[in-house]
Amino acid sequence: MPSDPFGHAIRDHYLGERDEPLIDRDGDETREHAIEEWYFGEYQRDEWFESWIDGPVLDMGAGVGRDSLYFQDQFETVAIEVSDTLVETMRDRGVRDARRADMFSLREHFERDRFRSAFALGTQVQLAESMDGLRTFLGDLAYVTTADASVVLHGYAPELERTKDIFAYREDPTPGMAYRVFHCEYDGAIGRTLVFRLFSLDRLRAATIGTPWDVAEASYGHPDSDDESNTWLAALTKQ
C-alpha cells in the first residue's frame, strides 16, 4: 500500500500502471485529480514568464519536472519536491538535478546566493501555514537568491467572487484571506490533510514589507490573456 498516495498515483500513471483514479476528498465532496492534464502536458513557451527567469533557477514544487525539462537546456535548473516518488519520476523523465526538499525550509538545503531566479507554479506557495509563515518563506527565499534575483509566484485569489467555486474552498472573515482543505486518496491509502492559506495580492504585497522583495508586476490570470481567472500571477524582485 503506498504511503504517498499523491506521488504514487502520479508515478503509476507515468509507468502505465494506474488502474484507479487519484481522488481529492473534502468530507463527502470528491473530485478526480486530472493527472495527465495537470502534470504531463508539454511546456508552453511563455515570453512574460521567461522574462523573469534566469539561471541558476529553482523550480519549487516541480511535480514531474515539466518546466525544469525545458529550462535545464538553457541554464542550471534545480527541481525540488517533498515526495521521494515524484523526485524519482522526475529523474526518470530526464530532469538532471531533482532533489527532495521542502520549499518552506530552503535554508536547510541551499547556501546563500545560490539562485538567480525561482518560481512556484501551481498555488503551492499557499501551503504556507500563515502570513507569518509566508514572510518566513520570503525571507528564506531571499537568503538563497542573489541580490538581483526575481521570483514568480502563483496563487488563488480569495478577493475574487469566482474563487469561491473552487474545490474545498473555505471562507475566512479576514479580508483578502480564505482556505482550501482536502486530502488525496489512492490505492487504499489516505494522504495528509493539505491546508492552503489563500491570500490576496494585497496580502502578498503586505507580506513583503520587511523583506528584500517587492511585487514588481502582478495580474489576475496571465498578463497577456483576457480570460477570466480565479488565480493571480506575481513577479517579485529585490528592492
Side-chain angles (χ1 to χ4, degrees):
M1 181 179 297
S3 57
D4 171 18
F6 177 78
H8 278 268
I10 291 176
R11 180 156 183 80
D12 283 354
H13 183 91
Y14 168 69
L15 296 173
E17 298 175 355
R18 185 170 65 90
D19 297 322
E20 58 184 88
L22 172 64
I23 297 297
D24 298 330
R25 179 178 294 279
D26 171 25
D28 293 333
E29 185 180 1
T30 63
R31 68 172 182 180
E32 182 174 342
H33 210 90
I35 293 175
E36 180 68 27
E37 177 185 353
W38 293 346
Y39 301 100
F40 288 97
E42 292 292 326
Y43 173 82
Q44 302 296 314
R45 291 296 307 272
D46 184 331
E47 291 185 8
W48 179 87
F49 176 50
E50 292 176 37
S51 71
W52 299 102
I53 305 301
D54 198 359
V57 61
L58 178 64
D59 183 354
M60 300 177 289
V64 294
R66 179 197 63 191
D67 301 332
S68 288
L69 285 168
Y70 170 75
F71 284 112
Q72 72 180 9
D73 289 334
Q74 303 175 56
F75 33 67
E76 183 187 1
T77 301
V78 178
I80 61 172
E81 264 293 352
V82 295
S83 164
D84 288 324
T85 309
L86 288 179
V87 171
E88 182 182 11
T89 303
M90 281 196 280
R91 291 171 178 166
D92 288 349
R93 280 167 48 84
V95 176
R96 290 192 285 270
D97 194 344
R99 310 183 189 186
R100 188 184 188 282
D102 189 336
M103 64 183 285
F104 297 108
S105 58
L106 293 175
R107 290 178 191 247
E108 297 177 15
H109 302 284
F110 303 106
E111 66 272 18
R112 182 185 291 274
D113 299 335
R114 177 65 176 82
F115 300 101
R116 184 82 180 274
S117 65
F119 61 89
L121 302 181
T123 78
Q124 55 264 34
V125 69
Q126 293 181 325
L127 283 168
E129 295 180 353
S130 63
M131 296 311 294
D132 283 343
L134 175 61
R135 293 185 191 95
T136 298
F137 163 73
L138 291 173
D140 290 349
L141 190 59
Y143 179 86
V144 303
T145 53
T146 58
D148 58 350
S150 57
V151 173
V152 177
L153 300 176
H154 176 220
Y156 278 108
E159 65 270 38
L160 301 179
E161 186 67 24
R162 54 182 169 270
T163 306
K164 295 180 180 180
D165 294 330
I166 63 174
F167 179 77
Y169 178 86
R170 303 280 199 285
E171 290 192 2
D172 188 306
T174 307
M177 304 293 293
Y179 289 96
R180 294 180 77 209
V181 184
F182 66 94
H183 66 263
C184 297
E185 300 177 358
Y186 177 70
D187 194 22
I190 297 175
R192 69 181 180 92
T193 299
L194 301 173
V195 180
F196 292 80
R197 190 67 166 121
L198 310 190
F199 48 86
S200 68
L201 280 172
D202 283 346
R203 290 283 178 174
L204 174 62
R205 292 185 179 97
T208 65
I209 297 172
T211 79
W213 298 107
D214 183 54
V215 177
E217 188 173 340
S219 66
Y220 294 117
H222 195 283
D224 295 333
S225 173
D226 294 328
D227 294 340
E228 288 191 346
S229 176
N230 53 20
T231 66
W232 48 253
L233 274 171
L236 283 62
T237 55
K238 289 186 174 178
Q239 304 176 52

